[in-house]
Amino acid sequence: MALYTPDGVEYIIGSVIGKGGEGTVYELPYSAGLVLKQYNETLSPIQAGKLKQMVAMRNPAVDAYAAWPAGLVYNDARELCGFVMKKLTGFVPLHMIFSPMDRKKLFPDKGYNFLVHVARNLATAFHKLHEAGLVVGDVNEGNILINANGLVSFIDCDSFQVKGPAGYFFCEVGVPRYTPPELLRVGSFTSTIRTANTDSFSLAVLIFQLLFLGRHPFAGKNRFKADIDEETAIREHEFAYSLVNTKKKLQTPNDSFDIRNLSEELIDCFHRAFEQEERPLPADWVRGLDNLLGTIVTCDESRLHTYPGKMKECPWCWYRKTRGILYFLDDSYLKDNTQLNDIENFVNGFRLDALEFKKWSGSRIVTGITPAPIAPEFVSAKKYKAALYILVPLFILVLTLLHFIPVLPGVYALILMPFFFVFLVKRKNFGQSSSILGKELKRRRQECQDRSLKLESLIDEHDNAPDLNRYNTGLEQLSKLILRFRQLPEEFLRLKKEMEEHVYEEQLHWYLRTFDLEWYPIPSIGTAKKTALANSGIKTAADITQLSTLKVPGIGPKNQQLLLSWQRQMATGFVYIPDNNKLADGLDAVNQQVQQQKLKLEAEIRQAYQSLTYLKSNIANRSIVLENRISEVIQKANQYEADLRAFEKFVKYF
């Protein structure tokens, strides 16, 4: 089905960028900086009206912080079916920086100050959107993207609450763990008016997760036997990190960042956001986070270890030394025993240049050539031939004279008999002389032609040495081997990174296996769906990853997103304590693998270099030999040419 602008211009659709429960996002190869979202189902009049209102409300301030609808999209039936929006390049979901391993993979040079910086930009984004009269509504860590500069952008903006001339277009969806208690008590988001104050609760949760490395403010240790899930804790204002609620049911989780490490300004903001109905505004967070950024210091042991200046020591070093926990991953905890320091020293001994011989351009003319003397047999042959040329006219002259002088017939016979005898003899010799001279002339001409062809063949062989292509091809292969050899340190780092990620993911996997789907409440995932998941082998939080390749009846894209969100929620409690023995074994295996590659490449480089050196010597020697032969052939060709011209002149005149 073709898709069109409101003016009827067809969009050229590219590859699929993403697909979700609501629709599919496509590349627009001929619309720079834009992508297109097409809905899976026909839009209701309310949804269509909301999209039209959003396009009308578009302005630069909104565009700066959101992938806002920039234009409407229609199908063949002239029905509104989607919209175009700006393309976000280099952005990743916000939750990707909650995990230490994800932070290392995406932003390896970013420390705690980066998390504070992102939180500050997030608060700014909320502030600007609220100024534009918008309410985000459905706030969660999956519909907010960030880049390496800490810039923030919202996606799925069609779920925002928008106010039009006739009233509100509501946000009818939401994730419970980011929803304020007053909205949870309502039970339904249909026709519920959200405000900047309800957004401020969601913003505070996200800021908390950033500053507390993925922890949720309403997830803690239960002080009593009865379990308290996040949704219940939010309803009851059970802020696990509260310093003022002396009767709270939840305590701060083990090995969590202490809220007292923050400024009093930010501590107050968190208490107001989670324990009061009138919450701090985004601008309050911007000021508090700016002030915190101004106090951040860097640890002497690691550039990734940045922390609030009010702390007496680096908390990340303390967790590492006393608890074995790594919240910021660099390579200092991995004992690198690889020996790849001699890479350049080795390859410097195998440098060769491409060979490009100049084409032969010498003169083909040799001056001072003296023709060889004509052989005696050819001189004799010419004499016989010349004698005949003399006798024939003389014979004709005698006959003519006898015709006018009356003589007896017998006298005719006596006079003509000598001529006849000489004619017979000369006729035989003439035939022989003509044959000898003709054959010799033909032979000499053929010899000249052969010498010329031989010369061209030698020059072509000189200019297009077959081994030259082999040499340059081999040189290219040697260069590739040397490049691979130079890249061994990078290969080691890549394999080490893969090994480290495997150890981390293995630990996380076993941690997630402790969360059985049957015993945990998951929004919109009831007993029937849990049974369908279990029948497909998905029984724990760790198994949910299989949904990327496994189809489960009744579990569509929306449910998959809900399950993945729940899995991320469970993963926030994971604390990475490296298994040093497993890491050491893994590093040994990686080092051994790289050393084997190194030895193999060294042998291949040496062999290739020896072959090329041999080829280069052969090519140079062959070139000298060919140049000498070309000079010889030119000399002989010029001699043969001079002899031919002299012989042609010799046989021409009689």
Side-chain angles (χ1 to χ4, degrees):
M1 179 182 291
L3 301 174
Y4 303 91
T5 69
D7 297 330
V9 178
E10 183 177 355
Y11 282 109
I12 305 300
I13 304 300
S15 57
V16 174
I17 297 176
K19 185 178 292 187
E22 281 191 335
T24 304
V25 179
Y26 298 93
E27 290 270 11
L28 290 177
Y30 299 105
S31 301
L34 294 177
V35 295
L36 183 149
K37 178 177 179 178
Q38 181 184 18
Y39 289 98
N40 296 332
E41 299 177 0
T42 302
L43 297 178
S44 68
I46 293 177
Q47 290 174 312
K50 183 178 182 179
L51 274 184
K52 292 177 181 178
Q53 178 63 31
M54 293 182 75
V55 171
M57 294 177 66
R58 182 189 178 203
N59 63 61
V62 173
D63 269 346
Y65 295 99
W68 196 255
L72 302 175
V73 175
Y74 293 84
N75 58 23
D76 289 329
R78 301 304 297 164
E79 297 172 333
L80 181 59
C81 64
F83 60 91
V84 293
M85 56 187 166
K86 72 177 180 180
K87 182 178 181 180
L88 296 172
T89 303
F91 282 75
V92 297
L94 180 66
H95 67 79
M96 296 293 284
I97 61 172
F98 292 167
S99 157
M101 184 56 70
D102 285 335
R103 282 197 300 273
K104 181 177 182 180
K105 287 192 288 187
L106 295 170
F107 311 118
D109 60 336
K110 307 300 184 185
Y112 188 74
N113 56 334
F114 180 69
L115 301 180
V116 180
H117 174 66
V118 171
R120 187 260 182 214
N121 288 344
L122 182 61
T124 302
F126 271 89
H127 176 70
K128 292 296 184 182
L129 293 174
H130 289 169
E131 279 190 334
L134 302 170
V135 175
V136 178
D138 181 23
V139 178
N140 63 77
E141 80 281 16
N143 62 12
I144 299 171
L145 305 185
I146 65 163
N147 67 7
N149 294 322
L151 299 180
V152 172
S153 186
F154 284 84
I155 59 173
D156 296 333
C157 298
D158 44 338
S159 66
F160 278 29
Q161 177 180 285
V162 176
K163 188 176 182 180
Y168 286 99
F169 293 101
F170 299 104
C171 173
E172 299 182 349
V173 292
V175 177
R177 66 192 317 234
Y178 295 100
T179 304
E182 63 269 25
L183 294 184
L184 289 177
R185 296 189 194 105
V186 173
S188 172
F189 300 128
T190 304
S191 302
T192 299
I193 298 176
R194 308 198 191 206
T195 65
N197 190 51
T198 59
D199 264 3
S200 292
F201 176 87
S202 308
L203 169 62
V205 174
L206 288 171
I207 291 175
F208 188 93
Q209 288 183 291
L210 286 165
L211 300 187
F212 289 79
L213 310 169
R215 300 276 194 178
H216 194 278
F218 293 90
K221 294 188 302 181
N222 294 348
R223 296 179 60 192
F224 306 97
K225 291 183 179 180
D227 288 335
I228 303 176
D229 59 50
E230 285 181 357
E231 187 173 342
T232 301
I234 292 172
R235 290 173 186 269
E236 299 178 1
H237 299 282
E238 282 292 338
F239 176 35
Y241 295 74
S242 176
L243 300 178
V244 297
N245 183 4
T246 58
K247 297 181 180 180
K248 63 181 181 179
K249 300 175 183 178
L250 293 177
Q251 291 182 332
T252 303
N254 293 335
D255 302 315
S256 175
F257 190 66
D258 194 333
I259 193 172
R260 288 170 294 193
N261 295 330
L262 300 177
S263 66
E264 294 298 329
E265 184 180 14
L266 289 176
I267 294 173
D268 179 64
C269 282
F270 281 125
H271 282 97
R272 287 163 53 201
F274 301 139
E275 296 181 331
Q276 300 176 22
E277 295 295 336
E278 201 63 36
R279 303 176 180 100
L281 297 173
D284 298 327
W285 287 108
V286 172
R287 284 190 297 271
L289 292 165
D290 273 338
N291 292 334
L292 178 61
L293 279 170
T295 71
I296 294 292
V297 296
T298 302
C299 174
D300 293 333
E301 294 190 20
S302 173
R303 59 186 177 83
L304 291 184
H305 290 186
T306 56
Y307 56 93
K310 68 181 290 187
M311 301 185 68
K312 294 181 180 180
E313 64 176 324
C314 173
W316 321 123
C317 287
W318 184 87
Y319 280 118
R320 175 179 172 179
K321 293 173 183 177
T322 62
R323 303 287 293 144
I325 299 171
L326 297 183
Y327 282 114
F328 293 92
L329 300 178
D330 54 19
D331 286 340
S332 61
Y333 78 105
L334 297 173
K335 296 179 180 179
D336 183 353
N337 61 345
T338 187
Q339 297 178 357
L340 296 172
N341 299 323
D342 59 341
I343 294 294
E344 286 302 318
N345 291 336
F346 178 79
V347 298
N348 283 341
F350 298 95
R351 296 189 182 279
L352 287 170
D353 297 321
L355 292 181
E356 294 183 4
F357 286 109
K358 293 183 179 179
K359 294 188 179 299
W360 192 87
S361 58
S363 175
R364 303 189 185 197
I365 304 300
V366 179
T367 59
I369 297 292
T370 302
I374 304 298
E377 61 268 24
F378 300 128
V379 174
S380 299
K382 182 178 179 181
K383 289 180 179 179
Y384 283 120
K385 192 172 182 181
L388 184 61
Y389 277 104
I390 294 172
L391 287 173
V392 169
L394 181 61
F395 179 70
I396 294 172
L397 177 61
V398 170
L399 287 177
T400 303
L401 292 174
L402 291 176
H403 178 72
F404 291 103
I405 301 174
V407 194
L408 293 174
V411 177
Y412 276 108
L414 291 174
I415 293 173
L416 294 177
M417 189 174 295
F419 284 98
F420 182 71
F421 177 76
V422 171
F423 172 76
L424 290 177
V425 175
K426 296 299 182 183
R427 181 183 177 189
K428 179 179 179 182
N429 291 335
F430 173 75
Q432 291 177 346
S433 64
S434 295
S435 176
I436 290 172
L437 294 174
K439 286 181 179 180
E440 179 63 16
L441 183 61
K442 182 178 180 181
R443 184 190 70 78
R444 293 194 179 208
R445 285 175 175 169
Q446 184 62 47
E447 187 70 29
C448 282
Q449 184 178 357
D450 290 345
R451 291 290 170 180
S452 178
L453 292 175
K454 178 65 175 176
L455 177 60
E456 294 300 327
S457 175
L458 287 172
I459 291 175
D460 182 68
E461 186 178 351
H462 176 276
D463 293 347
N464 302 284
D467 284 344
L468 186 60
N469 289 333
R470 285 178 54 201
Y471 176 86
N472 288 329
T473 300
L475 186 63
E476 183 179 352
Q477 293 172 348
L478 176 62
S479 298
K480 290 179 179 178
L481 288 172
I482 289 175
L483 178 61
R484 285 173 55 194
F485 193 82
R486 281 199 170 105
Q487 291 173 340
L488 282 177
E490 296 175 19
E491 176 69 3
F492 175 80
L493 293 176
R494 184 186 69 80
L495 292 172
K496 184 174 72 169
K497 180 181 177 183
E498 287 182 359
M499 180 277 300
E500 181 190 12
E501 290 174 6
H502 176 74
V503 172
Y504 181 93
E505 294 297 334
E506 190 177 60
Q507 278 194 29
L508 177 59
H509 176 81
W510 284 105
Y511 174 79
L512 291 174
R513 281 177 63 89
T514 63
F515 297 96
D516 196 313
L517 271 64
E518 184 180 355
W519 303 109
Y520 286 86
I522 306 174
S524 301
I525 307 296
T527 303
K529 291 179 180 177
K530 288 183 178 180
T531 300
L533 289 166
N535 291 338
S536 298
I538 300 176
K539 300 179 180 180
T540 70
D543 302 326
I544 290 175
T545 309
Q546 299 176 32
L547 288 173
S548 60
T549 56
L550 184 67
K551 290 186 177 180
V552 179
I555 306 297
K558 287 185 178 179
N559 287 327
Q560 288 184 23
Q561 293 301 318
L562 289 170
L563 287 165
L564 288 170
S565 178
W566 178 76
Q567 184 193 54
R568 290 196 299 269
Q569 177 184 341
M570 297 301 101
T572 57
F574 172 65
V575 175
Y576 180 49
I577 302 177
D579 185 332
N580 293 326
N581 291 331
K582 187 169 288 189
L583 287 169
D585 291 342
L587 276 174
D588 286 341
V590 168
N591 185 49
Q592 189 174 24
Q593 181 179 347
V594 173
Q595 291 301 328
Q596 288 175 352
Q597 291 183 31
K598 182 172 180 282
L599 292 173
K600 183 174 181 292
L601 284 171
E602 284 178 351
E604 291 176 351
I605 289 171
R606 286 193 181 97
Q607 182 178 358
Y609 183 79
Q610 289 172 357
S611 298
L612 286 173
T613 302
Y614 178 76
L615 265 179
K616 183 177 182 180
S617 176
N618 279 353
I619 292 170
N621 292 337
R622 180 64 177 163
S623 177
I624 294 172
V625 170
L626 285 172
E627 287 174 0
N628 291 335
R629 289 188 61 189
I630 288 171
S631 297
E632 292 174 3
V633 170
I634 287 175
Q635 182 72 26
K636 290 183 178 179
N638 275 265
Q639 183 66 56
Y640 273 92
E641 184 70 22
D643 292 348
L644 172 63
R645 299 293 169 251
F647 193 77
E648 286 176 338
K649 186 176 182 181
F650 169 75
V651 299
K652 182 177 181 181
Y653 300 106
F654 293 95

